[in-house]
């Protein structure tokens, strides 16, 4: 018997592992950039890392610009030919062509201009102009700043004092960037993201090449720069109205609510929440992933994801009594996301992707955990019956709410399970029975109401039929009866009636 039970346990474990790998397993190579550079990729970048995505994006953009110009030139030539055929003078043609050439040159110059232009001082005059523009106050900086913005600004200034001369240059560049972004509110969020990424890259290169700052201090400086800039830009670039981020948030939230019935066993989650320490880790992980929405800086949001992931690894380690693997981590992260349903999940992911320092997303534990979170969200959006090892009929019934997965019977618990867990399942069974009884009562009440309505209609119809068959005849009112002696006129002098007398004798 023991051997049979052991074989059954091993077979079940193999089936669970097989189902897990089929539905949820993601190879580590799939998390890397599909171009093979060795950095972490991202679904928002179509599987590329930040560096490769920018290269592909620039190539596609330049190709699109070139195609647009070819189309514009072709249309302009057709317009010139049509105009030339209607005009006989050559001067009009040359004037039109010169205007077109001037317009084309101006348009090309405007298209090529990027944020790098503001940080490249080709001459001393250009550098002076840079400083003057940096000193010029902008509406975004002069507006009434919040308490958090003031605090971050003071911390940023105090931090830059330790960098001396490079700190002054960094502060000027940051003010110039904020002024530039304030005048580029009409740009798309992708273009604003590109400006921010260009700014990060230029400042990091200047710190390394011009000021010879060590890599450790460069990383600290970039973290403070990101914190200072994005605290001020947060309300303009987080979930802007020009994007469909809010629509995606609602779709993911609705999807997670529809999947409330998914159990840890379906996802093959190696976490036992009956252990108090493990349950505490799960609660902390959910709290961290929900807290991500309250942060304003991309790095702080990444820190929440990292803390959540570390709590997950600790929960798995305590449950299995051994270090967790990547195959254990991803299903558990999916379970945490389903259980927590973090607010504005897609908006936070897009915000981190667009405005975080790219070096953090390409390497390190922050990049690894963030990539896994993106994979978890993508899995939730595409989750189907096969991923959970369910039949399509059961999956459809669970999704529509017609039924729910069968609860574990209290008799099947091992003797070591605490009484509280058994009582919880008994209460769940009672609630399920009460729910069924309530549904029956509601159905019977509706049936009774229908019967009463039908009975009332039937009685009314019968009364109407009787009235129509036997109509009522109303006779006129008869005269009032007269007094008995009213017509006896002749005998009106009759003697009075006899009166009783007392006899004396």
């Amino acid at each position: 018997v023991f051997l049979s039970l052991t074989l059954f346990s091993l077979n079940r474990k193999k089936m669970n592992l097989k189902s897990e790998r089929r539905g949820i397993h993601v190879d580590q190579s799939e998390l890397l950039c599909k171009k093979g550079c060795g950095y972490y990729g991202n679904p928002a970048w179509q599987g590329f890392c930040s560096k490769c995505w920018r290269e592909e994006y620039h190539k596609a953009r330049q190709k699109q610009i070139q195609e647009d110009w070819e189309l514009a030139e072709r249309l302009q030539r057709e317009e010139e030919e049509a105009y030339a055929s209607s005009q006989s003078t050559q001067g009009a043609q040359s004037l039109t062509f010169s205007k077109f050439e001037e317009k084309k040159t101006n348009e090309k110059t405007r298209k090529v201009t990027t944020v790098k232009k503001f940080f490249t001082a080709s001459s001393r005059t250009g550098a002076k102009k840079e400083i003057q523009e940096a000193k010029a106050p902008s509406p975004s900086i002069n507006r009434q700043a919040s308490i958090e913005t003031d605090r971050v600004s003071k911390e940023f200034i105090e931090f830059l004092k330790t960098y001396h001369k490079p700190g002054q240059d960094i502060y000027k560049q940051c003010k110039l960037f904020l002024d530039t972004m304030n005048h580029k509110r009409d740009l798309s969020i992708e273009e604003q993201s590109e400006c921010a990424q260009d700014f990060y890259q230029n400042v990091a290169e200047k710190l390394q090449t011009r000021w010879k700052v060590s890599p450790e201090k460069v990383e600290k400086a970039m973290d403070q720069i990101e914190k200072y800039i994005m605290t001020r830009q947060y309300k303009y670039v987080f979930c802007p109205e020009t994007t469909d981020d809010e629509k995606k948030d609602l779709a993911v939230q609705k999807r997670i609510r529809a999947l409330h019935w998914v159990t840890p066993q379906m996802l093959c989650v190696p976490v036992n929440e009956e252990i108090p320490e493990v349950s505490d880790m799960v609660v902390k992980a959910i709290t961290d992933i929900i807290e991500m929405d309250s942060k304003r800086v991309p790095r702080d949001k990444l820190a929440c994801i990292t803390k959540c992931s570390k709590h997950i690894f600790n929960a798995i380690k305590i449950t299995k009594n051994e270090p967790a693997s990547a195959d254990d981590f991803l299903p558990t992260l999916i379970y945490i996301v389903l259980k927590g349903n973090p607010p504005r999940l897609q908006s936070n992911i897009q915000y981190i992707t667009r405005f975080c320092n790219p070096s953090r997303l390409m390497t390190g534990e922050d990049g690894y955990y963030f990539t896994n979170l993106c994979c978890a969200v993508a899995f939730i959006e595409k989750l189907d019956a096969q991923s959970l090892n369910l039949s399509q009929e059961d999956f459809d019934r669970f999704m529509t709410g017609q039924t729910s997965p069968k609860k574990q019977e209290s008799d099947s618990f091992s003797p070591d399970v605490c009484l509280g867990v058994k009582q919880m399942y008994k209460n769940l069974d009672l609630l399920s029975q009460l729910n069924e009884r309530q549904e029956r009562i509601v159905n019977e009440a509706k049936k009774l109401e229908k019967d009463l309505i039908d009975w009332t209609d039937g009685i009314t119809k019968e009364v109407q039929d009787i009235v129509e068959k036997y109509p009522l005849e109303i006779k006129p009112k008869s005269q009032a009866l007269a007094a008995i002696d009213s017509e006896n006129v002749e005998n009106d002098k009759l003697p009075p009636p006899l009166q009783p007398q007392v006899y004396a004798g």
Side-chain angles (χ1 to χ4, degrees):
V1 174
F2 176 78
L3 180 60
S4 300
L5 292 175
T6 305
L7 291 175
F8 175 76
S9 177
L10 291 174
N11 290 333
R12 187 175 181 180
K13 185 175 181 182
K14 288 180 180 179
M15 290 175 62
N16 291 339
L17 182 60
K18 182 180 179 181
S19 62
E20 176 186 349
R21 289 182 179 277
R22 181 183 64 187
I24 304 177
H25 175 73
V26 175
D27 293 331
Q28 295 302 301
S29 60
E30 298 178 10
L31 302 178
L32 300 177
C33 176
K34 65 181 183 181
K35 201 172 182 179
C37 63
Y39 297 117
Y40 290 120
N42 193 313
W45 295 326
Q46 300 179 5
F48 294 101
C49 68
S50 176
K51 180 180 178 181
C52 297
W53 167 249
R54 286 169 60 80
E55 294 176 356
E56 296 294 328
Y57 177 77
H58 281 296
K59 289 180 182 178
R61 188 177 179 185
Q62 293 297 329
K63 182 180 179 181
Q64 185 64 38
I65 292 174
Q66 183 64 27
E67 292 177 355
D68 292 343
W69 275 113
E70 292 176 356
L71 177 62
E73 290 177 352
R74 182 171 60 82
L75 294 176
Q76 185 66 29
R77 284 196 302 269
E78 294 176 356
E79 182 180 355
E80 288 177 359
E81 291 174 358
Y83 182 77
S85 62
S86 61
Q87 298 290 334
S88 58
T89 58
Q90 185 68 23
Q93 296 180 7
S94 60
L95 179 61
T96 304
F97 184 76
S98 62
K99 287 184 177 180
F100 167 72
E101 288 293 331
E102 181 181 357
K103 181 179 179 181
K104 184 174 69 173
T105 304
N106 294 336
E107 186 67 19
K108 284 185 177 180
T109 305
R110 186 178 66 84
K111 288 282 185 180
V112 172
T113 303
T114 60
V115 176
K116 294 181 180 180
K117 175 183 175 182
F118 296 98
F119 303 116
T120 305
S122 58
S123 63
R124 186 174 298 179
T125 305
K128 290 182 179 179
K129 184 178 180 181
E130 247 183 55
I131 297 174
Q132 290 176 358
E133 290 180 356
K135 292 181 179 180
S138 66
S140 61
I141 297 178
N142 288 337
R143 71 179 184 275
Q144 184 66 30
S146 64
I147 298 177
E148 183 178 0
T149 303
D150 292 339
R151 178 181 59 81
V152 171
S153 300
K154 292 179 181 178
E155 292 177 356
F156 184 60
I157 293 174
E158 291 297 325
F159 172 79
L160 292 180
K161 288 181 180 179
T162 60
Y163 282 70
H164 305 292
K165 183 63 176 177
Q168 298 178 5
D169 186 59
I170 291 173
Y171 186 69
K172 292 178 182 179
Q173 302 293 348
C174 291
K175 289 186 65 179
L176 178 60
F177 174 75
L178 291 174
D179 290 338
T180 303
M181 292 296 292
N182 182 60
H183 293 90
K184 292 182 178 292
R185 299 281 180 234
D186 56 337
L187 294 180
S188 65
I189 194 65
E190 287 76 15
E191 292 174 328
Q192 295 186 48
S193 171
E194 185 180 358
C195 293
Q197 300 298 329
D198 286 340
F199 173 74
Y200 290 148
Q201 183 178 358
N202 279 275
V203 173
E205 289 178 356
K206 280 191 174 183
L207 287 172
Q208 293 176 356
T209 58
R210 181 183 298 181
W211 302 106
K212 307 299 181 183
V213 179
S214 62
E216 294 78 9
K217 298 189 70 175
V218 170
E219 184 177 355
K220 292 181 180 179
M222 295 306 300
D223 290 340
Q224 293 296 324
I225 290 171
E226 177 188 318
K227 183 177 181 180
Y228 173 70
I229 288 175
M230 298 316 302
T231 301
R232 290 179 171 271
Q233 296 293 313
Y234 177 78
K235 69 178 184 178
Y236 301 112
V237 298
F238 182 83
C239 190
E241 297 179 356
T242 56
T243 64
D244 58 348
D245 292 350
E246 185 176 2
K247 183 179 179 180
K248 293 180 180 179
D249 290 335
L250 296 176
V252 171
Q253 191 177 51
K254 184 179 179 180
R255 176 71 171 174
I256 293 177
R257 287 177 178 174
L259 294 170
H260 65 90
W261 48 268
V262 176
T263 62
Q265 291 76 19
M266 294 179 181
L267 296 171
C268 301
V269 175
V271 169
N272 184 7
E273 294 187 64
E274 296 177 5
I275 303 175
E277 193 174 356
V278 174
S279 178
D280 185 54
M281 291 293 177
V282 171
V283 172
K284 289 181 179 179
I286 295 174
T287 304
D288 289 332
I289 198 68
I290 293 176
E291 188 182 3
M292 174 179 62
D293 186 60
S294 64
K295 305 298 181 181
R296 303 179 68 178
V297 183
R299 178 173 173 267
D300 294 341
K301 293 181 181 292
L302 274 180
C304 292
I305 298 174
T306 301
K307 288 192 296 183
C308 169
S309 302
K310 290 183 177 180
H311 287 313
I312 291 174
F313 273 107
N314 290 333
I316 298 173
K317 182 179 180 181
I318 296 172
T319 302
K320 300 180 65 176
N321 199 20
E322 62 182 15
S325 64
D327 292 338
D328 297 330
F329 170 67
L330 185 57
T332 311
L333 179 60
I334 294 171
Y335 173 68
I336 293 297
V337 173
L338 289 175
K339 195 170 183 179
N341 197 359
R344 300 191 292 184
L345 183 57
Q346 283 288 4
S347 291
N348 283 286
I349 290 177
Q350 292 295 332
Y351 176 69
I352 294 172
T353 303
R354 292 164 181 161
F355 296 100
C356 183
N357 187 359
S359 61
R360 286 196 170 275
L361 301 182
M362 294 165 62
T363 56
E365 62 178 7
D366 289 342
Y368 174 76
Y369 295 139
F370 179 71
T371 303
N372 275 274
L373 177 62
C374 296
C375 293
V377 175
F379 176 84
I380 291 172
E381 292 176 342
K382 299 178 181 179
L383 187 142
D384 55 7
Q386 185 179 6
S387 303
L388 299 176
N389 300 317
L390 297 174
S391 64
Q392 189 62 41
E393 294 78 10
D394 291 340
F395 182 81
D396 294 337
R397 286 200 299 269
F398 295 157
M399 290 295 292
T400 56
Q402 296 178 1
T403 183
S404 60
K406 186 177 180 181
K407 304 293 188 304
Q408 186 175 3
E409 299 294 339
S410 58
D411 297 337
S412 63
F413 284 107
S414 63
D416 299 333
V417 176
C418 64
L419 296 176
V421 175
K422 295 182 179 180
Q423 186 64 37
M424 179 186 68
Y425 279 100
K426 289 182 179 179
N427 294 337
L428 290 175
D429 293 336
L430 289 175
L431 288 174
S432 178
Q433 296 174 9
L434 289 174
N435 187 27
E436 294 177 358
R437 291 178 59 186
Q438 183 182 7
E439 290 179 355
R440 288 198 301 267
I441 292 173
V442 170
N443 293 332
E444 292 294 334
K446 291 181 179 180
K447 182 180 178 182
L448 177 61
E449 181 183 7
K450 184 177 182 301
D451 293 342
L452 289 174
I453 294 174
D454 295 341
W455 179 80
T456 304
D457 295 339
I459 295 297
T460 303
K461 188 176 183 302
E462 290 180 2
V463 171
Q464 289 177 353
D465 294 341
I466 293 173
V467 170
E468 291 176 358
K469 186 175 182 181
Y470 304 102
L472 297 177
E473 295 180 1
I474 301 176
K475 297 181 179 180
K477 184 178 181 183
S478 61
Q479 296 180 356
L481 297 176
I484 297 177
D485 299 332
S486 61
E487 298 179 355
N488 192 0
V489 181
E490 297 178 356
N491 299 325
D492 55 347
K493 294 183 180 181
L494 292 175
L498 295 177
Q499 300 291 333
Q501 298 178 359
V502 179
Y503 179 66

